[in-house]
Amino acid sequence: MSFPSSIRQLPKALTAFIPTALIASNTVLGGSPPTCSNPQLSCQNTSAVADTCCFNAPGGQLLQTQFWDTNPPTGPSDHWTVHGLWYVAAQSDIVATAKLIESRPDHCDGTFDQFCDPNRQYTNISAIISAAGQTDLLDYMNTYWKDYQGNDESFWEHEWGKHGTCISTLEPGCYTNYVPQEEVVDFFQKTVDLFKTLDSYAFLSAAGIVPSTTNTYTSAEISAALAKPRGVQVAIQCSNSALDEIWYFYDVRGSVQTGTFVPTDPDGSKSDCPATGVKYLPKGSSGTPPSTTLSTATTAPPSPTPGNPFSGKGTLPVTTGGQVDGCIISGGTWYTTGTCATFTATVSVASSRNNPPATRIPPKINDPPLTAEAVDDLAIKLNAVLSTPSTSPLFSLKQLIDTLVSAPTPVSSYHTGCLLENVSADTNLIPRQPHGRIAASFFTVTFPLNEHRLITCLVLDLAASKQLVAQVHRYFRKDGKHGGTVDLETVHRFQSCDLRAQYVHAVKEAGRGRTTMLGIQLVDVGILEMVELGGKRAVRGKHGFGNSIACVVGPEGVVFWCAGKEEGLGDWVKEGGAEVRTWEDGERWVSDFEKVVASEDGRTKGWNSKRFKRYRRCFGVDLKARAESRGWQLLEEVQPWVRVFRIDSVEVEDVKKWRWETA
């Protein structure tokens, strides 16, 4: 999952480390956190602790994480910014209802709980803090807890929902005279209080490590400078050999609200920067500056009239303060010096959002035409499935998807488009015409059910509760596109996920009568790196191996859904790919998957007959034949990366939440 960049810090003098109880500012809230007598130090206890209001459980370690975002520059130029306060636990027991699984820091053993309480996924952080009278806190966050894409509120919501809801001492039941949402204020106040003691910019500067476009440093030098004030090691993270993140580790004696944060070493090697040649770039720099200078026109081109499309070929100057201050040199990159890129723009006309479905929409070749009658007929069948009583989430989901793909591909694709464009609406009624920006014809003509990320997103949408659907789409959409791929920044920030651990957990839950959904995504890092270095032209004639699949594990067995062959999900279902399998069959699938992505130092040795065979068994695709038929080449050195979205405790009512509109 990709994390937006966040808050930077205020200037602070270097201070020698002592274990410090960080006391939050006074609030106008009526409740009070627990009073803890003789609290134990988390991750260091030798006996079970029953009072989880005075002891962070199932874990113990917390990380104060910071960003250094240079392009676009975020926060003050001489300060790092806050990423968040991450909870890591001390045992592998899973207590959350829904979690986004990424291999981040750990339960003091390498694993990590996330999104632990869907009922407290608040979307009004600023309003909560303001209502508590904490205007100073909010002002600080508005200055130093900044999202690099400009959406601060969304980023704060993410940090609270993902990490804050997993801290046991912040549970509402831990407060005396609890006032709703006061734990949210405590979470942000504690994060800021802790952050103010960790002036990373000053720590580094004291060791002569300062931002530069020319100098480089060793990881050992950077780590030593950051360890010196606290007496323990930190973890540093890099993107393209450029330092961009720091993790400070703590055990906690008592509650997060009033306890003592004791600095501790990382519970294993968490740094991913190279040993030498680490860049520490100034904010506003994206690397080596261009060697040419910008030729600025005497008159800046006029801005297009709002609402009127423009077309033609030319450069795209950047204007700040009414003055031309550089130009776009590539997608998302602006330099004040350098050769301007030439772009070609064509007029595109947006389709109407509110018209009823057209009588006919151009179908794929060999597909029957899409008619309003066919649309209504499938909607009636889907609603009949949703109205049928059931006690099995797995069988309910299977029957719903079987019905969806039983119709001709344009009709199935049309209803998929209507669903995916309606997920953010307050209603559970799927309209006959999408309310979003993408018309249903986009799915039937350009983007049918043979796109693997879209299929995974669709299945998770059908299985997730309405409250979790938005999380699914934040995970599987990028730049507003359904099934958007992972970007290289996300890959560099997060370690590849251990799928087997997630499957073992799902089977354990199935043994207890519970149903679990897994959205599994396999990413071809080599392709991403080629695009990063040379743009899309660099991967012409190359074939990636990225894929994704949805899996449900329940007491009845295991079902997989995948885009599979050319006709996608429909063929996968018709050819038996979505039949119920035993848990042992699922284990064999996971074993094949592990051997497909088996690597040394993050890189596989390349493709051979066994890996092709296992890939085909996993995804229903003959990767070798597909590449050869298109005249494309697979990369000789393969770099796999995996992430998993997990939904625990899927219920029948979650699957049956939708209704399709009919004429």
Side-chain angles (χ1 to χ4, degrees), residues 454-483:
L454 183 148
I455 294 306
T456 303
C457 188
L458 166 67
V459 175
L460 292 177
D461 277 343
L462 293 174
S465 67
K466 194 66 166 72
Q467 293 77 14
L468 290 178
V469 167
Q471 294 182 24
V472 172
H473 279 254
R474 280 197 292 269
Y475 198 69
F476 282 96
R477 292 187 66 166
K478 177 177 173 56
D479 300 332
K481 298 176 182 178
H482 292 287

mmCIF file of all heavy atoms in Angstrom, residues 454-483:
data_model
loop_
_atom_site.group_PDB
_atom_site.id
_atom_site.type_symbol
_atom_site.label_atom_id
_atom_site.label_comp_id
_atom_site.label_asym_id
_atom_site.label_seq_id
_atom_site.Cartn_x
_atom_site.Cartn_y
_atom_site.Cartn_z
ATOM 1 N N LEU A 454 -8.670 -5.558 -11.852
ATOM 2 C CA LEU A 454 -10.079 -5.208 -11.784
ATOM 3 C C LEU A 454 -10.882 -6.364 -11.198
ATOM 4 O O LEU A 454 -11.777 -6.160 -10.374
ATOM 5 C CB LEU A 454 -10.606 -4.849 -13.172
ATOM 6 C CG LEU A 454 -12.065 -4.399 -13.258
ATOM 7 C CD1 LEU A 454 -12.234 -3.383 -14.371
ATOM 8 C CD2 LEU A 454 -13.011 -5.567 -13.508
ATOM 9 N N ILE A 455 -10.571 -7.586 -11.606
ATOM 10 C CA ILE A 455 -11.300 -8.748 -11.110
ATOM 11 C C ILE A 455 -11.095 -8.900 -9.607
ATOM 12 O O ILE A 455 -12.029 -9.159 -8.850
ATOM 13 C CB ILE A 455 -10.860 -10.024 -11.853
ATOM 14 C CG1 ILE A 455 -11.266 -9.937 -13.322
ATOM 15 C CG2 ILE A 455 -11.464 -11.260 -11.200
ATOM 16 C CD1 ILE A 455 -12.734 -9.650 -13.534
ATOM 17 N N THR A 456 -9.867 -8.754 -9.147
ATOM 18 C CA THR A 456 -9.600 -8.854 -7.715
ATOM 19 C C THR A 456 -10.365 -7.790 -6.943
ATOM 20 O O THR A 456 -10.968 -8.056 -5.908
ATOM 21 C CB THR A 456 -8.089 -8.725 -7.449
ATOM 22 O OG1 THR A 456 -7.395 -9.726 -8.194
ATOM 23 C CG2 THR A 456 -7.780 -8.897 -5.971
ATOM 24 N N CYS A 457 -10.350 -6.564 -7.459
ATOM 25 C CA CYS A 457 -11.084 -5.464 -6.840
ATOM 26 C C CYS A 457 -12.585 -5.769 -6.812
ATOM 27 O O CYS A 457 -13.268 -5.550 -5.805
ATOM 28 C CB CYS A 457 -10.811 -4.170 -7.604
ATOM 29 S SG CYS A 457 -11.467 -2.682 -6.819
ATOM 30 N N LEU A 458 -13.122 -6.301 -7.909
ATOM 31 C CA LEU A 458 -14.542 -6.624 -7.999
ATOM 32 C C LEU A 458 -14.935 -7.658 -6.944
ATOM 33 O O LEU A 458 -15.926 -7.485 -6.223
ATOM 34 C CB LEU A 458 -14.858 -7.174 -9.395
ATOM 35 C CG LEU A 458 -16.220 -7.862 -9.571
ATOM 36 C CD1 LEU A 458 -17.346 -6.847 -9.433
ATOM 37 C CD2 LEU A 458 -16.285 -8.585 -10.907
ATOM 38 N N VAL A 459 -14.180 -8.758 -6.838
ATOM 39 C CA VAL A 459 -14.532 -9.816 -5.897
ATOM 40 C C VAL A 459 -14.474 -9.297 -4.461
ATOM 41 O O VAL A 459 -15.350 -9.592 -3.643
ATOM 42 C CB VAL A 459 -13.600 -11.033 -6.081
ATOM 43 C CG1 VAL A 459 -13.888 -12.092 -5.023
ATOM 44 C CG2 VAL A 459 -13.766 -11.617 -7.480
ATOM 45 N N LEU A 460 -13.448 -8.517 -4.131
ATOM 46 C CA LEU A 460 -13.353 -7.963 -2.783
ATOM 47 C C LEU A 460 -14.501 -7.004 -2.509
ATOM 48 O O LEU A 460 -15.024 -6.950 -1.390
ATOM 49 C CB LEU A 460 -12.012 -7.270 -2.591
ATOM 50 C CG LEU A 460 -10.786 -8.181 -2.586
ATOM 51 C CD1 LEU A 460 -9.518 -7.364 -2.459
ATOM 52 C CD2 LEU A 460 -10.864 -9.188 -1.457
ATOM 53 N N ASP A 461 -14.914 -6.215 -3.509
ATOM 54 C CA ASP A 461 -16.073 -5.331 -3.346
ATOM 55 C C ASP A 461 -17.325 -6.125 -3.002
ATOM 56 O O ASP A 461 -18.139 -5.716 -2.169
ATOM 57 C CB ASP A 461 -16.331 -4.534 -4.631
ATOM 58 C CG ASP A 461 -15.453 -3.304 -4.735
ATOM 59 O OD1 ASP A 461 -14.890 -2.892 -3.708
ATOM 60 O OD2 ASP A 461 -15.313 -2.768 -5.834
ATOM 61 N N LEU A 462 -17.495 -7.254 -3.669
ATOM 62 C CA LEU A 462 -18.687 -8.062 -3.441
ATOM 63 C C LEU A 462 -18.663 -8.716 -2.064
ATOM 64 O O LEU A 462 -19.714 -8.996 -1.493
ATOM 65 C CB LEU A 462 -18.802 -9.139 -4.521
ATOM 66 C CG LEU A 462 -19.072 -8.634 -5.949
ATOM 67 C CD1 LEU A 462 -19.006 -9.777 -6.938
ATOM 68 C CD2 LEU A 462 -20.423 -7.925 -6.035
ATOM 69 N N ALA A 463 -17.471 -8.955 -1.510
ATOM 70 C CA ALA A 463 -17.362 -9.649 -0.227
ATOM 71 C C ALA A 463 -17.252 -8.711 0.961
ATOM 72 O O ALA A 463 -17.627 -9.075 2.072
ATOM 73 C CB ALA A 463 -16.149 -10.581 -0.247
ATOM 74 N N ALA A 464 -16.743 -7.504 0.755
ATOM 75 C CA ALA A 464 -16.475 -6.594 1.866
ATOM 76 C C ALA A 464 -17.757 -5.960 2.383
ATOM 77 O O ALA A 464 -18.734 -5.788 1.654
ATOM 78 C CB ALA A 464 -15.498 -5.503 1.427
ATOM 79 N N SER A 465 -17.741 -5.587 3.651
ATOM 80 C CA SER A 465 -18.832 -4.785 4.183
ATOM 81 C C SER A 465 -18.791 -3.414 3.520
ATOM 82 O O SER A 465 -17.768 -3.002 2.980
ATOM 83 C CB SER A 465 -18.683 -4.632 5.699
ATOM 84 O OG SER A 465 -17.528 -3.861 6.008
ATOM 85 N N LYS A 466 -19.892 -2.703 3.551
ATOM 86 C CA LYS A 466 -19.955 -1.381 2.896
ATOM 87 C C LYS A 466 -18.902 -0.444 3.481
ATOM 88 O O LYS A 466 -18.342 0.389 2.779
ATOM 89 C CB LYS A 466 -21.358 -0.782 3.055
ATOM 90 C CG LYS A 466 -21.644 0.403 2.138
ATOM 91 C CD LYS A 466 -21.666 -0.041 0.680
ATOM 92 C CE LYS A 466 -22.292 1.036 -0.206
ATOM 93 N NZ LYS A 466 -21.415 2.215 -0.372
ATOM 94 N N GLN A 467 -18.610 -0.612 4.790
ATOM 95 C CA GLN A 467 -17.620 0.256 5.424
ATOM 96 C C GLN A 467 -16.201 0.004 4.917
ATOM 97 O O GLN A 467 -15.354 0.888 4.943
ATOM 98 C CB GLN A 467 -17.652 0.060 6.953
ATOM 99 C CG GLN A 467 -18.914 0.533 7.635
ATOM 100 C CD GLN A 467 -20.076 -0.432 7.463
ATOM 101 O OE1 GLN A 467 -19.876 -1.572 7.052
ATOM 102 N NE2 GLN A 467 -21.280 0.026 7.778
ATOM 103 N N LEU A 468 -15.942 -1.227 4.435
ATOM 104 C CA LEU A 468 -14.584 -1.577 4.015
ATOM 105 C C LEU A 468 -14.347 -1.396 2.526
ATOM 106 O O LEU A 468 -13.211 -1.448 2.074
ATOM 107 C CB LEU A 468 -14.283 -3.027 4.388
ATOM 108 C CG LEU A 468 -14.128 -3.324 5.877
ATOM 109 C CD1 LEU A 468 -13.881 -4.800 6.089
ATOM 110 C CD2 LEU A 468 -12.994 -2.513 6.470
ATOM 111 N N VAL A 469 -15.427 -1.191 1.764
ATOM 112 C CA VAL A 469 -15.276 -1.081 0.318
ATOM 113 C C VAL A 469 -14.337 0.066 -0.053
ATOM 114 O O VAL A 469 -13.514 -0.050 -0.964
ATOM 115 C CB VAL A 469 -16.650 -0.918 -0.359
ATOM 116 C CG1 VAL A 469 -16.493 -0.478 -1.805
ATOM 117 C CG2 VAL A 469 -17.418 -2.240 -0.312
ATOM 118 N N ALA A 470 -14.436 1.175 0.666
ATOM 119 C CA ALA A 470 -13.570 2.320 0.352
ATOM 120 C C ALA A 470 -12.103 1.955 0.539
ATOM 121 O O ALA A 470 -11.237 2.401 -0.223
ATOM 122 C CB ALA A 470 -13.938 3.517 1.235
ATOM 123 N N GLN A 471 -11.785 1.130 1.545
ATOM 124 C CA GLN A 471 -10.404 0.699 1.746
ATOM 125 C C GLN A 471 -9.929 -0.179 0.592
ATOM 126 O O GLN A 471 -8.780 -0.091 0.165
ATOM 127 C CB GLN A 471 -10.292 -0.067 3.062
ATOM 128 C CG GLN A 471 -10.540 0.781 4.296
ATOM 129 C CD GLN A 471 -10.370 -0.025 5.567
ATOM 130 O OE1 GLN A 471 -9.684 -1.031 5.582
ATOM 131 N NE2 GLN A 471 -11.004 0.417 6.629
ATOM 132 N N VAL A 472 -10.824 -1.028 0.099
ATOM 133 C CA VAL A 472 -10.479 -1.856 -1.060
ATOM 134 C C VAL A 472 -10.050 -0.973 -2.220
ATOM 135 O O VAL A 472 -9.046 -1.232 -2.895
ATOM 136 C CB VAL A 472 -11.663 -2.750 -1.465
ATOM 137 C CG1 VAL A 472 -11.364 -3.470 -2.779
ATOM 138 C CG2 VAL A 472 -11.982 -3.758 -0.367
ATOM 139 N N HIS A 473 -10.789 0.100 -2.444
ATOM 140 C CA HIS A 473 -10.512 0.937 -3.612
ATOM 141 C C HIS A 473 -9.307 1.835 -3.417
ATOM 142 O O HIS A 473 -8.625 2.168 -4.381
ATOM 143 C CB HIS A 473 -11.759 1.734 -3.980
ATOM 144 C CG HIS A 473 -12.721 0.916 -4.778
ATOM 145 N ND1 HIS A 473 -12.921 1.077 -6.121
ATOM 146 C CD2 HIS A 473 -13.488 -0.140 -4.420
ATOM 147 C CE1 HIS A 473 -13.786 0.186 -6.557
ATOM 148 N NE2 HIS A 473 -14.142 -0.566 -5.534
ATOM 149 N N ARG A 474 -9.026 2.225 -2.184
ATOM 150 C CA ARG A 474 -7.786 2.959 -1.969
ATOM 151 C C ARG A 474 -6.589 2.051 -2.252
ATOM 152 O O ARG A 474 -5.519 2.499 -2.629
ATOM 153 C CB ARG A 474 -7.724 3.487 -0.531
ATOM 154 C CG ARG A 474 -8.523 4.749 -0.296
ATOM 155 C CD ARG A 474 -8.092 5.439 0.984
ATOM 156 N NE ARG A 474 -8.429 4.673 2.174
ATOM 157 C CZ ARG A 474 -9.553 4.791 2.849
ATOM 158 N NH1 ARG A 474 -10.487 5.638 2.432
ATOM 159 N NH2 ARG A 474 -9.777 4.076 3.930
ATOM 160 N N TYR A 475 -6.789 0.764 -2.075
ATOM 161 C CA TYR A 475 -5.718 -0.209 -2.251
ATOM 162 C C TYR A 475 -5.540 -0.617 -3.704
ATOM 163 O O TYR A 475 -4.422 -0.794 -4.185
ATOM 164 C CB TYR A 475 -6.051 -1.444 -1.408
ATOM 165 C CG TYR A 475 -4.892 -2.348 -1.126
ATOM 166 C CD1 TYR A 475 -3.866 -1.944 -0.288
ATOM 167 C CD2 TYR A 475 -4.845 -3.624 -1.653
ATOM 168 C CE1 TYR A 475 -2.814 -2.783 0.008
ATOM 169 C CE2 TYR A 475 -3.790 -4.479 -1.360
ATOM 170 C CZ TYR A 475 -2.773 -4.057 -0.525
ATOM 171 O OH TYR A 475 -1.736 -4.889 -0.234
ATOM 172 N N PHE A 476 -6.645 -0.786 -4.431
ATOM 173 C CA PHE A 476 -6.581 -1.329 -5.791
ATOM 174 C C PHE A 476 -6.830 -0.289 -6.871
ATOM 175 O O PHE A 476 -6.910 -0.624 -8.039
ATOM 176 C CB PHE A 476 -7.574 -2.483 -5.946
ATOM 177 C CG PHE A 476 -7.087 -3.760 -5.340
ATOM 178 C CD1 PHE A 476 -7.469 -4.118 -4.071
ATOM 179 C CD2 PHE A 476 -6.219 -4.584 -6.028
ATOM 180 C CE1 PHE A 476 -7.013 -5.285 -3.495
ATOM 181 C CE2 PHE A 476 -5.754 -5.754 -5.468
ATOM 182 C CZ PHE A 476 -6.150 -6.100 -4.192
ATOM 183 N N ARG A 477 -6.973 0.993 -6.490
ATOM 184 C CA ARG A 477 -7.111 2.035 -7.506
ATOM 185 C C ARG A 477 -5.933 2.973 -7.409
ATOM 186 O O ARG A 477 -5.463 3.291 -6.322
ATOM 187 C CB ARG A 477 -8.415 2.817 -7.320
ATOM 188 C CG ARG A 477 -9.653 2.015 -7.609
ATOM 189 C CD ARG A 477 -10.902 2.866 -7.577
ATOM 190 N NE ARG A 477 -10.912 3.845 -8.633
ATOM 191 C CZ ARG A 477 -12.005 4.531 -8.983
ATOM 192 N NH1 ARG A 477 -13.137 4.320 -8.377
ATOM 193 N NH2 ARG A 477 -11.958 5.429 -9.942
ATOM 194 N N LYS A 478 -5.497 3.441 -8.551
ATOM 195 C CA LYS A 478 -4.400 4.402 -8.599
ATOM 196 C C LYS A 478 -4.724 5.425 -9.664
ATOM 197 O O LYS A 478 -5.121 5.085 -10.767
ATOM 198 C CB LYS A 478 -3.062 3.720 -8.902
ATOM 199 C CG LYS A 478 -1.895 4.698 -9.027
ATOM 200 C CD LYS A 478 -0.612 3.951 -9.251
ATOM 201 C CE LYS A 478 0.529 4.912 -9.548
ATOM 202 N NZ LYS A 478 0.711 5.920 -8.506
ATOM 203 N N ASP A 479 -4.576 6.690 -9.291
ATOM 204 C CA ASP A 479 -4.840 7.777 -10.233
ATOM 205 C C ASP A 479 -6.261 7.685 -10.792
ATOM 206 O O ASP A 479 -6.505 8.002 -11.959
ATOM 207 C CB ASP A 479 -3.835 7.768 -11.395
ATOM 208 C CG ASP A 479 -2.408 7.943 -10.886
ATOM 209 O OD1 ASP A 479 -2.248 8.574 -9.829
ATOM 210 O OD2 ASP A 479 -1.491 7.452 -11.531
ATOM 211 N N GLY A 480 -7.211 7.216 -9.953
ATOM 212 C CA GLY A 480 -8.604 7.160 -10.370
ATOM 213 C C GLY A 480 -8.941 6.016 -11.280
ATOM 214 O O GLY A 480 -10.058 5.904 -11.761
ATOM 215 N N LYS A 481 -8.000 5.113 -11.543
ATOM 216 C CA LYS A 481 -8.241 4.019 -12.470
ATOM 217 C C LYS A 481 -8.512 2.737 -11.694
ATOM 218 O O LYS A 481 -7.838 2.424 -10.720
ATOM 219 C CB LYS A 481 -7.026 3.809 -13.384
ATOM 220 C CG LYS A 481 -6.709 5.024 -14.253
ATOM 221 C CD LYS A 481 -5.445 4.774 -15.055
ATOM 222 C CE LYS A 481 -5.087 6.000 -15.896
ATOM 223 N NZ LYS A 481 -3.830 5.799 -16.643
ATOM 224 N N HIS A 482 -9.503 1.980 -12.146
ATOM 225 C CA HIS A 482 -9.807 0.711 -11.509
ATOM 226 C C HIS A 482 -8.647 -0.251 -11.716
ATOM 227 O O HIS A 482 -8.122 -0.402 -12.812
ATOM 228 C CB HIS A 482 -11.088 0.118 -12.096
ATOM 229 C CG HIS A 482 -12.300 0.915 -11.751
ATOM 230 N ND1 HIS A 482 -12.837 0.916 -10.486
ATOM 231 C CD2 HIS A 482 -13.062 1.745 -12.482
ATOM 232 C CE1 HIS A 482 -13.902 1.700 -10.468
ATOM 233 N NE2 HIS A 482 -14.048 2.221 -11.666
ATOM 234 N N GLY A 483 -8.278 -0.914 -10.635
ATOM 235 C CA GLY A 483 -7.219 -1.907 -10.751
ATOM 236 C C GLY A 483 -5.858 -1.316 -11.019
ATOM 237 O O GLY A 483 -4.989 -1.983 -11.556
#
